[in-house]
Amino acid sequence: MAGIGFKLQKILSNESYSNLLQGYFYSAVVSSGPVLFTIFSLTILGVISSSKVSHHELQVFRTLVVYIYGTSLVISSPFQMVLTRYMADRIFIKDYSALVPSFVGVSILSTVVHAVIGYIAVKALNFDFGTSVATVALFANVGIIWIAMITISASKDFVWIVKSFMYGSILSLVAGYLLGTRFQLMGLVMGFCLGQILIVIMLSVQIFTEFEYRNRLEFYFLEYFKKYTALAFIATLFNIGIWGDKVVFWFTRETSQQVHSFLRASYVYDVPIFLSYLFIVPALAMFTIQVETSFYIHYKKYFLSILNRHPYSSLIERQNNIINDLKLSMGRILVLQGTISVVGIFLSEKIYNYIGISSINLGVFQIAILAVFLLALLQILLIITLYFDYRTDALILSGTFALTNILFTIVSIWMGFSYYGYGILFSCLTSLVVGFVLFNYRLRSLIYYTFINQKIIVND
C-alpha cells in the first residue's frame, strides 16, 4: 500500500484544507473501502426499507451479509497475504504483466472455494432457489473484492477505486430497496449483490486497463504458499482474531438470539461493536497516506546503505532514522486516534440518541471505541513487522490476538453484562504489548537481524 500512499501524498502537497480533506477521504476509502461502504449501505438500506420489508426479513438480511463478509474475509486470508508478497516481488523485478494473470488465477480459486462453502451454507439455511443463488453470488463477489483490493493497491488511479465503491454502494441501495419491496429477502440480497458485482466489474476494468498482461492464466503464486506458509497463517489468525469475539457472542445462548437456522445475532453486542469500527478509519487513512510512506523512505535508505557498502556508522544513523520516524509517526497517530476516541466516548450518548438506539448497551459501545483504537495500532504494528520480514514475530502476534480475543471474550461473558466488550479490549492490549516487545527488541538489534535473516536486495 505504500505505492498508492505516495500517489495520495501529491494531493496533500497543495497545502489547502480542501486538498487535505480530499486526500484523507481517498485514503480512507482505499484503506477501508469494503468495510466502510458495507456498514453505510446496510444501515441506510435498513432504514429506507423498514416500512416496506418485514422486520424479520431485514434482520435475516443484515445478519446474512455480516456472516458473508466475516466468513469471506477469513477464507480469503491465506490468499491475501501470500498474493501480496507474490505481487510485491513481481513489481520489484518490474514484471507488471504478471499482476493481471495472478489476479484472475486467484479470483478463480477464490470463487470455487466460496461457491462450494456458499452452496453448503445455503443448503443448511434452507433458502428458496432465488435467495440461494443470490447469496452464493454475493459471497463469491465479496471474495473477489478482497483479492481486487490487493491488486489495485499498485494502481495509480485511486479516484477510480473511490468511484467503484461509491457507484456500487448506490446501486446496492437502489436495487436492494426496489427489489426488496417486491421480493422481500430475495430482493434485498439480489439488489445488494448487484451493487457488489458492479464494484467487482469496475475494479477489474481498472486492473485490466492499467496493467499490461499476458494472455494466459498463471498460478505461479501457489509456489509462494510453500515458500511463505507463515504468511497464510498470519493473515488467517489475525482475521480470526478480528471476528473471534463476535462469533463467541453469536453462539453463546445468553448473549444471542436465533435469526434464521444457524444464523444468530447478538443484539446487545453487534450494534456497538460494528458502529465502533467506523472510528478506526482515521488511523488507517493516516497510516496509508503519511506514516507508511514516511517509514518506507527511511526503510529503503537503510537497505540501500547496506547494498552500497556504507560504513557501520552510516547504518547506525539510518537505523536511528527509522526508529525516530516510527516514534514520531506513531505519536501522531496516538494523538489523532486518541483524540477521536475520547471525543467519540463523550459523544457516544448523543450518537445513540441520533441513530435511535437504546442506551442499554452504551457502555459496550464506549469500551468498543477504546478496543478499536488499540486494534488500529495492532494492525499497523503487524504491517511494520512484516516490512522487516519478521514472520515468526508476526505469527506470534496474530496467534496471541486470535487466542486471547476468543478466551477473554468467553471470560467477559461469564463475568456478566458490565464486562461485555472488555474481552476484545484486553485482547488488543495484550497482543499490542507482546508485539511491541518483540518488535522493539528486533528494531534495537536491526543490523544484527538484517545480516542474519534478510536476503538483501533493494531496487533503486
Side-chain angles (χ1 to χ4, degrees), residues 166-182:
M166 191 172 293
Y167 294 160
S169 298
I170 292 172
L171 180 59
S172 283
L173 283 175
V174 174
Y177 173 75
L178 294 176
L179 293 175
T181 54
R182 182 167 184 179

Side-chain angles (χ1 to χ4, degrees), residues 117-324:
I117 295 175
Y119 175 77
I120 295 171
V122 294
K123 291 294 285 183
L125 288 167
N126 199 26
F127 283 152
D128 58 66
F129 179 74
T131 308
S132 297
V133 172
T135 300
V136 175
L138 176 59
F139 191 42
N141 268 279
V142 172
I144 298 176
I145 289 175
W146 301 124
I147 305 301
M149 287 302 290
I150 294 170
T151 311
I152 209 79
S153 64
S155 169
K156 297 175 182 176
D157 191 354
F158 48 83
V159 177
W160 186 261
I161 301 174
V162 176
K163 287 181 179 177
S164 302
F165 282 101
M166 191 172 293
Y167 294 160
S169 298
I170 292 172
L171 180 59
S172 283
L173 283 175
V174 174
Y177 173 75
L178 294 176
L179 293 175
T181 54
R182 182 167 184 179
F183 302 108
Q184 296 292 295
L185 177 61
M186 182 180 72
L188 286 170
V189 181
M190 280 185 173
F192 193 82
C193 182
L194 287 175
Q196 306 308 299
I197 291 174
L198 179 61
I199 293 174
V200 169
I201 291 173
M202 290 186 70
L203 292 178
S204 300
V205 166
Q206 178 60 24
I207 291 169
F208 274 86
T209 303
E210 186 163 341
F211 304 113
E212 58 182 64
Y213 54 92
R214 300 185 279 268
N215 288 316
R216 67 189 188 201
L217 283 176
E218 290 184 0
F219 295 93
Y220 297 130
F221 61 88
L222 291 175
E223 297 174 6
Y224 271 53
F225 278 96
K226 184 177 180 181
K227 189 175 180 181
Y228 297 101
T229 309
L231 290 179
F233 283 102
I234 290 166
T236 304
L237 286 171
F238 194 81
N239 285 324
I240 287 174
I242 287 178
W243 286 93
D245 56 313
K246 290 90 178 163
V247 173
V248 171
F249 267 90
W250 291 338
F251 293 96
T252 299
R253 183 175 299 177
E254 294 79 11
T255 58
S256 66
Q257 300 77 34
Q258 184 183 32
V259 177
H260 177 87
S261 183
F262 66 79
L263 296 180
R264 301 183 68 85
S266 175
Y267 300 141
V268 73
Y269 191 72
D270 289 351
V271 171
I273 194 70
F274 289 123
L275 193 59
S276 69
Y277 271 94
L278 295 178
F279 287 82
I280 203 176
V281 175
L284 296 182
M286 185 177 185
F287 175 75
T288 301
I289 201 169
Q290 284 194 337
V291 177
E292 191 176 20
T293 51
S294 174
F295 160 76
Y296 182 73
I297 291 172
H298 294 291
Y299 169 87
K300 187 176 178 180
K301 285 181 178 177
Y302 170 77
F303 284 100
L304 282 174
S305 296
I306 296 174
L307 276 183
N308 294 327
R309 300 183 178 183
H310 287 185
Y312 183 73
S313 59
S314 177
L315 295 185
I316 292 292
E317 181 184 347
R318 296 291 166 84
Q319 177 190 10
N320 289 334
N321 287 341
I322 291 176
I323 294 173
N324 292 333

